[in-house]
């Protein structure tokens, strides 16, 4: 195996040569305290940075096994080390050359603790995956600068970020305990017949629409007495807060009083959050899916008949197909697809819902007879979803009191504080009866179970199927865009990259016409949990993060190539 000295000599020797001389870097190098692996070298200074790994033996790193003794702690430790590597790399590096030249960088986490490929840990070693923008003068090798980066800066980063003795032990411990408490709380929801929990003292408002850190002047959350529940967490001990029971829950209140802020926190309660985020103890049923209208999306053979029937020209709604869905048909499809993927909790905000899908009041019923209206509104199906299939709904609703008739719990937000007003809402519903006639029958109907049609794989080798992502919203496979801008629970671009690679794998192994959507999701998620993401790519990826089956299903369902 080549040594650190061999690496330095090589980089000095190729100084000022053509940039392609860097290609001979691809090998392993033994440093005094770690091994450096160069997996892929960029061909151009303006190309995607090169992919590197370091492996630090535990005899050097010396992380106590208790810090990664279970899944919660392991994921949290890997997250913490990713953040520490990023902090140290940014603090000590100086940019060299042009483009991405002179860069040492790792995936940059946001406020959530996700299972990432950037750091792996076991009893033998700690492995970190990162990228390097190899420095250049124009299109010539800046070998001496590269030697300084890899033989001086990198060992310093490793020592400060990946040796336990260099870290703040209390911070590392707190990171793991915060995640473990949240996972434990989430596991307690179903036994307590709850779908979400918001701890007292949580800070839900965010700094801004583009800054997900807590608002410094945010008002701490305080639960109403009637919905207050208590847990004893493994580390934090006694915790109180608002438990949202299973069933149909309305969140009401005036504009700008925190309705959508509360729902947004519940949406992201499917993930753990870092200490200091304010939402560390906001947890939600892991199967929760945010539902919204999505004009213009494609729909491939979804049964939307519980909500939509008798379309003009005799169009089928049991196998509904369109390249350009309306607000109501897209929202119906989003619900049915979430149920097909296994969701037990739907989250809806009236601000992003189709009005004609949500409600048809008594006056409109009198003007337009049911036989002339294809849409059965959500108000007439939301209760049936719970009674027939055990699927709960949390709904932000400030514009229609008709939902008082079907709600099990009503929470009013005032100045970002909740009050339970269920009894008052029922009294108002009785006093101001709408005499609205329920539509759509007395049962919800069966849940969908589609088998996707066989597709012709475009390549025999997934490594040659080109894909990329644009920000947090779009996957591009070959030249086809998959728009996920309406999939609001995607929290990190690393999840989007992992989904893109998984879609290519699915196309070549599962889209054979033999499997249902549910079977595909079950099998591929089991493969990822068992094997990680390395089997999906040629080089071990360092910028992937674990996604939920629901976001994978959302991408699969929006892939226009699947339209019959």
């Amino acid at each position: 195996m080549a040594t650190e000295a061999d690496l330095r000599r090589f980089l000095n020797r190729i100084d000022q040569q053509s940039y392609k001389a860097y290609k001979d870097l691809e090998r392993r190098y033994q440093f005094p305290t770690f091994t450096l692996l160069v997996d892929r070298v960029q061909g151009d200074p303006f190309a995607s940075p090169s992919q590197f790994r370091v492996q630090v033996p535990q005899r050097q790193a010396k992380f106590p096994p208790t810090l990664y003794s279970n899944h919660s702690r392991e994921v949290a430790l890997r997250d913490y080390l990713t953040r520490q590597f990023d902090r140290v790399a940014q603090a000590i590096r100086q940019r060299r050359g042009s483009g991405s030249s002179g860069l040492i960088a790792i995936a940059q986490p946001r406020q959530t603790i996700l299972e990432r490929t950037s750091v792996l840990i076991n009893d033998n070693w700690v492995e970190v995956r990162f990228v390097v923008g190899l420095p250049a003068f124009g299109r010539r090798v800046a070998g001496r600068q590269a030697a300084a980066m890899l033989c001086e800066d990198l060992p310093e980063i490793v020592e400060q970020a990946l040796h336990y003795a260099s870290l703040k032990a209390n911070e590392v411990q707190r990171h793991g305990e915060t995640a473990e408490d949240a996972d434990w709380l989430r596991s307690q929801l179903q036994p307590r017949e709850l779908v979400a929990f918001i701890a007292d003292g949580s800070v839900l408002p965010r700094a801004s629409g583009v800054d997900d850190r807590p608002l410094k002047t945010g008002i701490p959350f305080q639960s109403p007495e009637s919905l207050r529940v208590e847990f004893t967490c493994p580390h934090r001990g006694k915790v109180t807060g608002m438990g949202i029971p299973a069933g149909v829950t309305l969140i009401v209140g005036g504009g700008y009083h925190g309705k959508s802020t509360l729902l947004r926190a519940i949406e992201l309660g499917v993930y753990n959050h870092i200490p200091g985020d304010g939402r560390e103890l906001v947890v939600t049923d892991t199967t929760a899916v945010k539902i919204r209208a999505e004009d213009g999306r494609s729909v491939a053979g979804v049964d939307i008949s519980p909500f939509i029937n008798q379309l003009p020209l005799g169009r089928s709604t049991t196998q509904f197909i369109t390249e350009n869905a309306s607000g109501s048909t897209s929202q119906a499809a989003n619900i049915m697809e979430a149920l097909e993927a296994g969701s037990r909790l739907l989250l809806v905000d009236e601000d992003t819902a189709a009005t004609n899908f949500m409600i048809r009041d008594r006056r409109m019923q009198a003007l337009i007879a049911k036989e002339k209206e294809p849409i059965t509104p959500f108000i007439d199906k939301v209760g049936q979803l719970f009674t027939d299939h055990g699927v709960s709904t949390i709904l932000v609703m400030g514009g229609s009191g008709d939902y008082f008739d079907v709600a099990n719990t009503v929470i009013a937000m005032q100045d970002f504080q909740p009050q339970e007003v269920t009894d008052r809402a029922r009294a108002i519903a009785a006093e101001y009866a709408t005499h609205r006639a329920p539509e759509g029958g007395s049962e919800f109907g069966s849940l969908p179970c589609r088998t996707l049609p066989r597709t012709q794989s475009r390549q025999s080798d997934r490594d040659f199927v080109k894909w990329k992502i644009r920000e947090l919203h779009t996957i591009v496979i070959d030249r086809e865009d998959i728009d996920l801008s309406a999939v609001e629970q995607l929290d990190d671009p690393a999840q989007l990259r992992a989904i893109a690679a998984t879609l290519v794998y699915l196309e070549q192994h599962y889209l054979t016409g033999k499997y249902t959507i549910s079977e595909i999701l079950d099998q591929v998620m089991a493969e990822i949990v068992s094997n990680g993401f390395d089997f999906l790519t040629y080089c071990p990826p360092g910028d992937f993060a674990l996604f939920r089956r629901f976001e994978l299903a959302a991408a699969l369902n929006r892939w226009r190539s699947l339209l019959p």
Side-chain angles (χ1 to χ4, degrees):
M1 184 188 302
T3 66
E4 175 189 7
D6 295 328
L7 174 61
R8 187 184 290 272
R9 280 193 295 269
F10 171 76
L11 291 171
N12 287 333
R13 187 176 74 247
I14 65 172
D15 189 49
Q16 298 296 328
Q17 292 185 23
S18 167
Y19 198 86
K20 293 186 182 298
Y22 272 133
K23 289 295 291 183
D24 289 337
L25 275 175
E26 292 181 1
R27 64 181 68 186
R28 300 168 65 100
Y29 300 90
Q30 187 61 57
F31 281 61
T33 61
F34 64 89
T35 302
L36 174 66
L37 301 91
V38 183
D39 292 319
R40 182 189 63 82
V41 172
Q42 65 203 89
D44 183 277
F46 298 95
S48 298
S50 305
Q51 293 175 256
F52 281 55
R53 286 180 286 159
V54 294
Q55 289 181 343
V56 184
Q58 281 287 15
R59 66 177 180 273
Q60 300 287 344
K62 297 182 179 179
F63 282 94
T66 55
L67 292 178
Y68 54 92
S69 59
N70 59 42
H71 187 255
S72 290
R73 294 184 183 187
E74 179 192 334
V75 170
L77 178 58
R78 290 161 58 188
D79 178 86
Y80 181 89
L81 294 179
T82 299
R83 294 172 192 273
Q84 182 68 8
F85 189 101
D86 178 56
R87 282 192 292 265
V88 176
Q90 290 197 51
I92 72 171
R93 76 170 179 244
Q94 296 180 348
R95 299 192 69 80
R96 304 175 178 92
S98 58
S100 296
S101 182
L103 175 75
I104 296 178
I106 197 168
Q108 292 184 309
R110 291 156 57 92
Q111 295 294 104
T112 50
I113 297 174
L114 300 177
E115 185 169 353
R116 297 178 175 275
T117 58
S118 51
V119 175
L120 305 177
I121 189 167
N122 59 33
D123 289 337
N124 299 316
W125 42 254
V126 179
E127 178 174 297
V128 177
R129 302 171 178 185
F130 56 101
V131 295
V132 175
L134 293 168
F137 299 115
R139 295 186 183 276
R140 293 193 173 278
V141 168
R144 297 185 185 280
Q145 287 87 339
M149 287 175 59
L150 298 180
C151 299
E152 297 170 19
D153 292 354
L154 184 58
E156 185 176 354
I157 295 171
V158 169
E159 182 177 355
Q160 292 188 32
L162 304 179
H163 288 187
Y164 181 66
S166 299
L167 305 178
K168 296 179 180 178
N170 60 332
E171 278 191 5
V172 181
Q173 187 78 14
R174 183 185 176 203
H175 210 80
E177 290 178 353
T178 297
E180 194 168 22
D181 276 348
D183 280 331
W184 182 85
L185 277 171
R186 204 173 284 109
S187 73
Q188 300 302 303
L189 293 177
Q190 195 166 357
R192 297 280 288 268
E193 297 184 341
L194 302 174
V195 294
F197 172 78
I198 303 92
D200 290 330
S202 297
V203 177
L204 307 186
R206 299 294 93 188
S208 73
V210 295
D211 186 346
D212 203 38
R213 292 175 297 180
L215 181 67
K216 292 182 179 179
T217 58
I219 301 171
F221 186 89
Q222 189 66 30
S223 58
E225 185 64 36
S226 57
L227 293 177
R228 184 169 296 151
V229 295
E230 181 180 311
F231 295 96
T232 302
C233 294
H235 304 290
R236 190 172 294 225
K238 179 181 174 181
V239 173
T240 62
M242 183 174 76
I244 298 182
V248 179
T249 299
L250 294 188
I251 301 174
V252 301
Y256 308 103
H257 278 263
K259 302 188 302 296
S260 295
T261 298
L262 173 57
L263 187 69
R264 180 61 177 162
I266 292 169
E267 288 172 32
L268 293 180
V270 297
Y271 303 120
N272 294 340
H273 290 77
I274 61 173
D277 173 77
R279 300 168 296 185
E280 300 96 317
L281 297 181
V282 177
V283 296
T284 306
D285 186 304
T286 57
T287 70
V289 176
K290 174 67 183 299
I291 301 295
R292 58 172 295 163
E294 192 177 348
D295 299 59
R297 65 153 290 192
S298 63
V299 179
V302 179
D303 182 1
I304 60 172
S305 60
F307 299 104
I308 314 285
N309 267 301
Q310 299 175 334
L311 287 175
L313 305 178
R315 294 181 63 190
S316 171
T317 60
T318 57
Q319 291 185 312
F320 183 71
I321 299 171
T322 182
E323 292 188 9
N324 187 21
S326 67
S328 57
T329 55
S330 65
Q331 191 164 348
N334 288 343
I335 290 173
M336 300 307 289
E337 289 166 354
L339 299 176
E340 182 178 40
S343 177
R344 300 186 301 269
L345 174 61
L346 305 180
L347 309 174
V348 184
D349 191 328
E350 64 178 348
D351 286 348
T352 54
T355 301
N356 63 335
F357 180 81
M358 297 301 295
I359 184 68
R360 206 163 84 92
D361 63 22
R362 182 68 186 94
R363 289 175 175 173
M364 192 58 71
Q365 287 179 326
L367 181 63
I368 305 297
K370 176 55 186 170
E371 56 268 22
K372 301 295 184 182
E373 173 53 76
I375 302 172
T376 296
F378 190 58
I379 190 173
D380 292 321
K381 290 296 180 179
V382 66
Q384 295 171 5
L385 265 175
F386 183 62
T387 56
D388 294 357
H389 299 291
V391 177
S392 299
T393 299
I394 300 176
L395 170 65
V396 168
M397 177 60 67
S400 176
D402 284 11
Y403 271 85
F404 294 171
D405 292 324
V406 296
N408 303 112
T409 306
V410 183
I411 299 168
M413 294 298 293
Q414 182 175 345
D415 295 326
F416 288 89
Q417 296 299 329
Q419 304 171 25
E420 192 199 354
V421 293
T422 307
D423 291 341
R424 176 63 177 149
R426 288 173 177 165
I428 291 171
E431 183 177 358
Y432 300 100
T434 65
H435 304 292
R436 185 185 171 279
E439 300 175 352
S442 60
E443 297 181 348
F444 182 83
S446 59
L447 301 183
C449 184
R450 287 175 295 160
T451 299
L452 287 179
R454 181 182 182 87
T455 62
Q456 182 64 42
S457 176
R458 65 197 81 200
Q459 294 282 353
S460 59
D461 187 340
R462 64 182 178 275
D463 296 323
F464 293 97
V465 177
K466 294 182 179 180
W467 62 262
K468 62 181 180 180
I469 70 165
R470 288 200 293 265
E471 298 180 342
L472 188 55
H473 307 303
T474 305
I475 292 171
V476 183
I477 297 180
D478 285 342
R479 297 183 179 180
E480 182 178 357
D481 287 4
I482 303 174
D483 181 6
L484 299 179
S485 57
V487 183
E488 299 181 28
Q489 288 167 287
L490 275 173
D491 189 62
D492 195 291
Q495 292 175 300
L496 202 61
R497 293 187 194 97
I499 289 173
T502 303
L503 288 178
V504 173
Y505 178 73
L506 287 182
E507 183 186 31
Q508 296 170 343
H509 293 84
Y510 287 101
L511 302 188
T512 62
K514 298 179 181 179
Y515 301 105
T516 66
I517 291 277
S518 182
E519 289 171 339
I520 291 172
L521 297 175
D522 287 344
Q523 292 186 47
V524 76
M525 294 306 294
E527 285 190 64
I528 290 170
V529 169
S530 176
N531 303 319
F533 286 108
D534 287 7
F535 71 97
L536 295 178
T537 58
Y538 174 71
C539 287
D543 57 356
F544 285 8
L546 187 62
F547 47 81
R548 301 186 308 155
R549 63 189 285 125
F550 305 100
E551 283 69 54
L552 177 60
L556 196 59
N557 283 315
R558 287 159 180 78
W559 198 353
R560 291 179 182 268
S561 290
L562 301 186
L563 283 172

